[in-house]
Amino acid sequence: MPLFRRAKKAGAGVPDWCAWFSPADWHAFEALLGDVFLDGNASGPPMRFGEHRHLSLAAEGEPGAPLDLAEIAELVRALPHTNWRSATVSFLNQKQRLAERRRELHRAGFAEVRHLLMPRLVTVDSVGEGHAVATALTEELAAVVMIHVGGDFSAPVPPDQFSSWQVDEAEVWAAAMANLHAAPVSLQYNEDENPLVNVEGEGGYTSTHLLRAADLVDRPAPHGILAMVPFHGHLMLWAVDGPELHTCVIAYGPLVRKMWEDAPEGYRLSSRLLWIGEDGIESVGVEPAPPGSKEPGVITGSARFVEMLSAFRPPDDYPG
Protein backbone atom coordinates (compact mmCIF):
# COMPACT_ATOMS: atom_id res chain seq x y z
CA MET A 1 0.00 0.00 0.00
CA PRO A 2 2.61 2.55 -1.13
CA LEU A 3 2.59 6.21 -0.27
CA PHE A 4 5.70 6.83 -2.39
CA ARG A 5 7.56 8.60 0.39
CA ARG A 6 9.86 7.16 2.99
CA ALA A 7 8.74 7.47 6.58
CA LYS A 8 11.12 9.00 9.07
CA LYS A 9 10.84 9.37 12.83
CA ALA A 10 9.25 12.57 14.01
CA GLY A 11 10.46 14.79 16.80
CA ALA A 12 10.05 13.92 20.44
CA GLY A 13 6.66 15.61 20.92
CA VAL A 14 3.33 13.83 20.69
CA PRO A 15 1.09 15.57 18.07
CA ASP A 16 -2.11 17.24 19.22
CA TRP A 17 -4.22 14.94 17.07
CA CYS A 18 -3.28 11.92 19.22
CA ALA A 19 -2.47 13.68 22.47
CA TRP A 20 -3.70 10.72 24.52
CA PHE A 21 -0.54 8.76 23.60
CA SER A 22 2.35 8.69 26.01
CA PRO A 23 5.76 9.41 24.39
CA ALA A 24 6.45 5.66 24.38
CA ASP A 25 3.08 4.95 22.74
CA TRP A 26 3.73 7.65 20.14
CA HIS A 27 7.10 6.16 19.19
CA ALA A 28 5.47 2.73 18.93
CA PHE A 29 2.78 4.27 16.72
CA GLU A 30 5.41 5.93 14.51
CA ALA A 31 7.12 2.57 14.13
CA LEU A 32 3.78 1.00 13.19
CA LEU A 33 3.14 3.62 10.51
CA GLY A 34 6.64 3.24 9.13
CA ASP A 35 6.23 -0.54 9.00
CA VAL A 36 2.85 -0.35 7.28
CA PHE A 37 3.48 2.50 4.83
CA LEU A 38 7.22 2.36 4.02
CA ASP A 39 7.67 1.26 0.43
CA GLY A 40 11.42 1.66 -0.03
CA ASN A 41 11.06 4.69 -2.28
CA ALA A 42 13.29 7.47 -0.97
CA SER A 43 12.17 10.14 -3.46
CA GLY A 44 10.73 13.37 -2.15
CA PRO A 45 11.16 14.91 1.29
CA PRO A 46 11.15 12.60 4.32
CA MET A 47 7.77 12.08 5.93
CA ARG A 48 7.29 13.00 9.54
CA PHE A 49 4.03 11.51 10.61
CA GLY A 50 3.53 14.06 13.37
CA GLU A 51 3.49 16.82 10.77
CA HIS A 52 1.66 14.87 8.06
CA ARG A 53 -1.58 13.67 9.59
CA HIS A 54 -3.59 13.55 6.34
CA LEU A 55 -2.35 11.12 3.71
CA SER A 56 -3.63 9.62 0.47
CA LEU A 57 -3.70 5.89 -0.13
CA ALA A 58 -3.29 5.07 -3.79
CA ALA A 59 -2.09 2.40 -6.13
CA GLU A 60 -0.08 3.76 -9.04
CA GLY A 61 -2.32 5.41 -11.59
CA GLU A 62 -5.36 5.48 -9.32
CA PRO A 63 -6.92 8.47 -7.51
CA GLY A 64 -6.04 8.49 -3.84
CA ALA A 65 -8.35 7.64 -0.96
CA PRO A 66 -8.08 10.18 1.89
CA LEU A 67 -6.69 8.85 5.14
CA ASP A 68 -6.62 10.64 8.49
CA LEU A 69 -3.96 9.04 10.73
CA ALA A 70 -5.99 10.16 13.75
CA GLU A 71 -8.50 7.47 12.77
CA ILE A 72 -5.83 4.80 13.15
CA ALA A 73 -4.59 6.32 16.40
CA GLU A 74 -8.15 6.23 17.76
CA LEU A 75 -8.56 2.65 16.53
CA VAL A 76 -5.49 1.28 18.33
CA ARG A 77 -5.44 3.42 21.47
CA ALA A 78 -7.36 0.87 23.57
CA LEU A 79 -5.56 -2.18 22.13
CA PRO A 80 -2.36 -3.86 23.33
CA HIS A 81 0.60 -3.01 21.12
CA THR A 82 0.77 -6.59 19.86
CA ASN A 83 -2.62 -6.10 18.17
CA TRP A 84 -1.91 -2.74 16.59
CA ARG A 85 -0.57 -4.01 13.27
CA SER A 86 -3.35 -6.51 12.55
CA ALA A 87 -6.04 -3.95 13.46
CA THR A 88 -4.39 -1.30 11.26
CA VAL A 89 -4.00 -3.62 8.26
CA SER A 90 -7.66 -4.68 8.53
CA PHE A 91 -8.71 -1.04 8.73
CA LEU A 92 -6.64 -0.06 5.68
CA ASN A 93 -7.90 -3.02 3.66
CA GLN A 94 -11.44 -1.86 4.38
CA LYS A 95 -10.45 1.66 3.31
CA GLN A 96 -9.16 0.29 0.02
CA ARG A 97 -12.36 -1.66 -0.58
CA LEU A 98 -14.41 1.46 0.14
CA ALA A 99 -12.19 3.48 -2.22
CA GLU A 100 -12.91 0.97 -4.98
CA ARG A 101 -16.61 1.16 -4.19
CA ARG A 102 -16.41 4.96 -4.30
CA ARG A 103 -14.93 4.84 -7.82
CA GLU A 104 -17.78 2.58 -8.92
CA LEU A 105 -20.40 4.89 -7.44
CA HIS A 106 -18.87 7.96 -9.04
CA ARG A 107 -19.58 6.41 -12.43
CA ALA A 108 -23.19 5.63 -11.48
CA GLY A 109 -26.32 7.39 -12.64
CA PHE A 110 -28.70 9.34 -10.42
CA ALA A 111 -31.23 6.50 -10.13
CA GLU A 112 -28.46 4.12 -9.00
CA VAL A 113 -27.20 6.33 -6.17
CA ARG A 114 -30.35 8.22 -5.22
CA HIS A 115 -30.85 6.03 -2.12
CA LEU A 116 -27.22 6.69 -1.06
CA LEU A 117 -27.29 10.50 -1.20
CA MET A 118 -27.01 12.29 2.16
CA PRO A 119 -26.48 15.90 3.20
CA ARG A 120 -23.48 16.49 5.43
CA LEU A 121 -22.73 19.38 7.75
CA VAL A 122 -19.28 20.90 7.11
CA THR A 123 -17.43 24.16 7.68
CA VAL A 124 -17.78 26.78 4.96
CA ASP A 125 -14.02 26.91 4.34
CA SER A 126 -13.92 23.15 3.64
CA VAL A 127 -16.25 23.43 0.65
CA GLY A 128 -14.30 23.30 -2.59
CA GLU A 129 -14.56 22.70 -6.32
CA GLY A 130 -15.08 18.99 -5.70
CA HIS A 131 -18.46 19.63 -4.06
CA ALA A 132 -21.03 19.89 -6.83
CA VAL A 133 -24.03 20.47 -4.57
CA ALA A 134 -23.52 22.74 -1.55
CA THR A 135 -25.34 25.49 0.32
CA ALA A 136 -24.27 27.89 3.09
CA LEU A 137 -26.22 27.70 6.36
CA THR A 138 -24.39 30.29 8.49
CA GLU A 139 -21.13 32.21 8.19
CA GLU A 140 -19.36 29.14 9.60
CA LEU A 141 -21.40 26.18 8.39
CA ALA A 142 -22.54 24.70 5.09
CA ALA A 143 -24.25 21.53 3.93
CA VAL A 144 -23.00 19.46 1.02
CA VAL A 145 -24.52 16.43 -0.70
CA MET A 146 -22.48 13.28 -0.30
CA ILE A 147 -22.66 9.71 -1.58
CA HIS A 148 -22.70 7.36 1.41
CA VAL A 149 -20.19 4.76 0.28
CA GLY A 150 -20.30 2.51 3.35
CA GLY A 151 -19.69 2.54 7.10
CA ASP A 152 -18.58 6.03 8.11
CA PHE A 153 -17.13 6.77 4.66
CA SER A 154 -18.83 9.22 2.31
CA ALA A 155 -17.57 11.15 -0.70
CA PRO A 156 -18.82 14.39 -2.27
CA VAL A 157 -20.82 14.27 -5.47
CA PRO A 158 -18.24 15.51 -8.01
CA PRO A 159 -19.20 18.11 -10.63
CA ASP A 160 -18.74 15.82 -13.63
CA GLN A 161 -21.04 13.19 -12.13
CA PHE A 162 -23.67 15.77 -11.20
CA SER A 163 -23.57 17.14 -14.76
CA SER A 164 -24.06 13.65 -16.19
CA TRP A 165 -27.25 13.15 -14.16
CA GLN A 166 -29.07 15.99 -15.93
CA VAL A 167 -31.22 16.73 -12.88
CA ASP A 168 -31.47 20.00 -11.00
CA GLU A 169 -30.09 20.65 -7.54
CA ALA A 170 -33.56 20.72 -5.98
CA GLU A 171 -34.14 17.08 -6.92
CA VAL A 172 -30.74 16.05 -5.54
CA TRP A 173 -31.40 17.90 -2.26
CA ALA A 174 -34.86 16.36 -1.98
CA ALA A 175 -33.43 12.86 -2.32
CA ALA A 176 -30.65 13.56 0.17
CA MET A 177 -33.03 15.05 2.76
CA ALA A 178 -35.47 12.16 2.37
CA ASN A 179 -32.64 9.76 3.15
CA LEU A 180 -31.61 11.85 6.17
CA HIS A 181 -35.16 11.81 7.54
CA ALA A 182 -35.26 8.02 7.10
CA ALA A 183 -31.95 7.48 8.91
CA PRO A 184 -32.30 6.07 12.45
CA VAL A 185 -31.27 8.19 15.43
CA SER A 186 -31.03 7.68 19.17
CA LEU A 187 -32.33 10.43 21.46
CA GLN A 188 -31.29 10.96 25.07
CA TYR A 189 -32.73 13.57 27.44
CA ASN A 190 -31.56 15.23 30.63
CA GLU A 191 -33.97 15.50 33.57
CA ASP A 192 -35.14 19.08 33.03
CA GLU A 193 -38.83 19.77 32.50
CA ASN A 194 -37.88 21.10 29.07
CA PRO A 195 -34.98 18.71 28.44
CA LEU A 196 -31.81 19.12 26.46
CA VAL A 197 -31.89 16.51 23.68
CA ASN A 198 -28.71 14.64 22.79
CA VAL A 199 -28.90 13.18 19.28
CA GLU A 200 -26.81 10.24 18.05
CA GLY A 201 -26.96 9.11 14.43
CA GLU A 202 -25.24 6.47 12.32
CA GLY A 203 -22.63 6.50 9.60
CA GLY A 204 -20.93 9.69 10.77
CA TYR A 205 -24.04 11.84 10.19
CA THR A 206 -24.97 12.77 13.77
CA SER A 207 -24.26 16.50 13.37
CA THR A 208 -26.13 16.65 10.06
CA HIS A 209 -29.40 15.82 11.81
CA LEU A 210 -29.33 19.52 12.72
CA LEU A 211 -31.17 19.91 9.40
CA ARG A 212 -34.16 17.98 10.79
CA ALA A 213 -34.07 19.45 14.28
CA ALA A 214 -37.77 20.32 14.36
CA ASP A 215 -38.66 16.63 13.90
CA LEU A 216 -36.30 15.51 16.66
CA VAL A 217 -37.45 17.95 19.35
CA ASP A 218 -40.70 16.19 20.21
CA ARG A 219 -42.32 19.14 21.98
CA PRO A 220 -43.57 22.58 20.98
CA ALA A 221 -40.79 25.06 20.16
CA PRO A 222 -42.74 28.30 19.73
CA HIS A 223 -39.59 30.43 19.70
CA GLY A 224 -37.29 28.17 17.72
CA ILE A 225 -34.58 25.73 18.75
CA LEU A 226 -31.12 26.23 20.24
CA ALA A 227 -28.51 23.81 18.89
CA MET A 228 -24.90 22.86 19.55
CA VAL A 229 -22.67 21.26 16.90
CA PRO A 230 -19.14 21.92 18.19
CA PHE A 231 -17.66 18.99 16.24
CA HIS A 232 -18.57 16.13 13.91
CA GLY A 233 -20.48 13.46 15.77
CA HIS A 234 -22.16 15.79 18.29
CA LEU A 235 -25.60 17.40 18.26
CA MET A 236 -27.65 18.78 21.15
CA LEU A 237 -31.01 20.55 20.82
CA TRP A 238 -33.21 22.60 23.14
CA ALA A 239 -36.71 23.88 22.38
CA VAL A 240 -36.98 27.59 23.18
CA ASP A 241 -40.20 27.98 25.14
CA GLY A 242 -39.77 31.11 27.23
CA PRO A 243 -37.76 32.87 29.94
CA GLU A 244 -35.24 30.03 30.36
CA LEU A 245 -33.69 31.09 27.04
CA HIS A 246 -31.44 33.67 28.70
CA THR A 247 -30.15 31.22 31.30
CA CYS A 248 -29.55 28.54 28.68
CA VAL A 249 -27.66 30.88 26.35
CA ILE A 250 -25.39 31.95 29.22
CA ALA A 251 -24.81 28.32 30.26
CA TYR A 252 -24.46 26.68 26.85
CA GLY A 253 -22.50 29.41 25.04
CA PRO A 254 -19.22 28.88 26.95
CA LEU A 255 -19.87 25.11 26.97
CA VAL A 256 -20.05 24.79 23.19
CA ARG A 257 -16.94 26.98 22.85
CA LYS A 258 -15.00 24.71 25.23
CA MET A 259 -16.16 21.56 23.39
CA TRP A 260 -15.08 23.11 20.09
CA GLU A 261 -11.64 24.02 21.48
CA ASP A 262 -11.13 20.53 22.92
CA ALA A 263 -12.02 18.76 19.66
CA PRO A 264 -9.29 17.81 17.15
CA GLU A 265 -9.00 20.58 14.58
CA GLY A 266 -10.15 18.43 11.67
CA TYR A 267 -13.39 17.53 13.47
CA ARG A 268 -14.46 21.04 14.52
CA LEU A 269 -17.70 22.57 13.26
CA SER A 270 -19.06 25.60 15.13
CA SER A 271 -17.80 27.28 18.31
CA ARG A 272 -21.08 29.19 18.71
CA LEU A 273 -24.62 28.37 19.70
CA LEU A 274 -27.05 28.11 16.82
CA TRP A 275 -30.64 29.34 16.79
CA ILE A 276 -33.01 27.66 14.35
CA GLY A 277 -35.96 29.91 13.56
CA GLU A 278 -38.52 30.28 10.82
CA ASP A 279 -36.01 32.00 8.54
CA GLY A 280 -33.21 29.44 8.88
CA ILE A 281 -30.19 28.97 11.12
CA GLU A 282 -28.09 31.71 12.69
CA SER A 283 -25.16 31.92 15.09
CA VAL A 284 -25.44 33.32 18.60
CA GLY A 285 -22.38 34.83 20.28
CA VAL A 286 -21.71 34.71 24.02
CA GLU A 287 -18.86 36.70 25.56
CA PRO A 288 -18.79 36.21 29.36
CA ALA A 289 -17.71 39.02 31.62
CA PRO A 290 -14.02 38.72 32.57
CA PRO A 291 -13.50 37.11 36.00
CA GLY A 292 -13.79 39.73 38.74
CA SER A 293 -15.00 42.36 36.32
CA LYS A 294 -18.05 44.51 36.96
CA GLU A 295 -18.59 44.86 33.23
CA PRO A 296 -21.50 42.83 31.81
CA GLY A 297 -21.11 39.89 29.48
CA VAL A 298 -22.53 40.26 25.98
CA ILE A 299 -24.88 38.07 23.94
CA THR A 300 -25.07 38.84 20.21
CA GLY A 301 -27.31 37.66 17.41
CA SER A 302 -29.72 38.93 14.79
CA ALA A 303 -32.09 41.79 15.64
CA ARG A 304 -34.91 39.26 15.81
CA PHE A 305 -33.07 37.02 18.25
CA VAL A 306 -31.93 39.89 20.48
CA GLU A 307 -35.48 41.27 20.56
CA MET A 308 -36.81 37.88 21.63
CA LEU A 309 -34.07 37.50 24.23
CA SER A 310 -34.76 40.97 25.62
CA ALA A 311 -38.42 40.13 26.04
CA PHE A 312 -37.46 37.15 28.24
CA ARG A 313 -34.37 38.57 29.93
CA PRO A 314 -34.41 38.93 33.70
CA PRO A 315 -32.64 41.98 35.20
CA ASP A 316 -29.09 40.64 35.22
CA ASP A 317 -25.78 41.60 33.66
CA TYR A 318 -25.99 40.00 30.21
CA PRO A 319 -27.42 42.60 27.81
CA GLY A 320 -28.32 41.63 24.29
Side-chain angles (χ1 to χ4, degrees), residues 6-59:
R6 180 180 295 277
K8 184 176 179 181
K9 277 204 169 185
V14 178
D16 290 342
W17 50 265
C18 57
W20 56 81
F21 280 153
S22 68
D25 285 336
W26 166 243
H27 289 308
F29 188 64
E30 282 186 295
L32 168 74
L33 298 177
D35 178 36
V36 171
F37 294 123
L38 187 63
D39 69 341
N41 188 334
S43 63
M47 177 178 290
R48 293 177 172 85
F49 288 116
E51 299 170 5
H52 301 285
R53 165 182 164 182
H54 298 279
L55 307 179
S56 180
L57 293 176

Side-chain angles (χ1 to χ4, degrees), residues 245-255 273 286 288 299 316-318:
L245 173 62
H246 191 270
T247 302
C248 288
V249 169
I250 293 172
Y252 297 152
L255 173 63
L273 285 174
V286 181
I299 298 172
D316 55 28
D317 59 358
Y318 261 81

Side-chain angles (χ1 to χ4, degrees), residues 246-308:
H246 191 270
T247 302
C248 288
V249 169
I250 293 172
Y252 297 152
L255 173 63
V256 72
R257 176 73 190 188
K258 181 67 165 57
M259 295 173 73
W260 179 87
E261 290 174 346
D262 290 345
E265 187 173 347
Y267 291 85
R268 292 174 178 172
L269 285 173
S270 176
S271 63
R272 295 158 66 91
L273 285 174
L274 304 176
W275 178 54
I276 306 170
E278 293 180 359
D279 298 328
I281 304 172
E282 67 172 76
S283 297
V284 176
V286 181
E287 291 294 334
S293 171
K294 294 184 179 180
E295 295 297 320
V298 178
I299 298 172
T300 57
S302 68
R304 183 178 177 185
F305 180 82
V306 171
E307 181 181 359
M308 178 180 66

Side-chain angles (χ1 to χ4, degrees), residues 3 21 28 140 157 173 189 194 242 250 254 285 291 297:
L3 291 175
F21 280 153
E140 295 177 289
V157 176
W173 276 113
Y189 307 85
N194 178 14
I250 293 172

Side-chain angles (χ1 to χ4, degrees), residues 127-156:
V127 178
E129 294 180 356
H131 297 90
V133 187
T135 185
L137 301 174
T138 71
E139 292 182 358
E140 295 177 289
L141 297 174
V144 297
V145 174
M146 310 285 283
I147 299 175
H148 188 203
V149 179
D152 288 347
F153 181 41
S154 300

Side-chain angles (χ1 to χ4, degrees), residues 26-204:
W26 166 243
H27 289 308
F29 188 64
E30 282 186 295
L32 168 74
L33 298 177
D35 178 36
V36 171
F37 294 123
L38 187 63
D39 69 341
N41 188 334
S43 63
M47 177 178 290
R48 293 177 172 85
F49 288 116
E51 299 170 5
H52 301 285
R53 165 182 164 182
H54 298 279
L55 307 179
S56 180
L57 293 176
E60 193 167 2
E62 295 286 353
L67 174 66
D68 184 347
L69 294 180
E71 294 181 67
I72 300 178
E74 183 66 41
L75 173 73
V76 303
R77 65 183 295 188
L79 300 175
H81 287 196
T82 53
N83 294 348
W84 280 14
R85 194 180 194 285
S86 61
T88 299
V89 170
S90 295
F91 172 80
L92 294 174
N93 285 338
Q94 181 188 36
K95 278 277 189 182
Q96 288 286 63
R97 289 192 295 270
L98 289 173
E100 293 169 6
R101 173 66 172 156
R102 181 191 65 174
R103 288 192 288 272
E104 293 173 3
L105 291 173
H106 278 182
R107 295 190 292 266
F110 180 63
E112 295 174 84
V113 299
R114 183 181 189 128
H115 67 292
L116 298 174
L117 298 178
M118 289 283 280
R120 183 169 177 83
L121 201 66
V122 297
T123 58
V124 167
D125 58 11
S126 70
V127 178
E129 294 180 356
H131 297 90
V133 187
T135 185
L137 301 174
T138 71
E139 292 182 358
E140 295 177 289
L141 297 174
V144 297
V145 174
M146 310 285 283
I147 299 175
H148 188 203
V149 179
D152 288 347
F153 181 41
S154 300
V157 176
D160 57 345
Q161 184 176 25
F162 174 63
S163 298
S164 74
W165 288 347
Q166 296 185 337
V167 298
D168 60 26
E169 286 195 18
E171 188 170 356
V172 175
W173 276 113
M177 288 301 298
N179 293 334
L180 181 70
H181 279 267
V185 294
S186 171
L187 305 179
Q188 298 179 351
Y189 307 85
N190 66 10
E191 297 180 355
D192 295 345
E193 183 177 348
N194 178 14
L196 190 66
V197 183
N198 182 55
V199 181
E200 293 185 4
E202 297 181 350

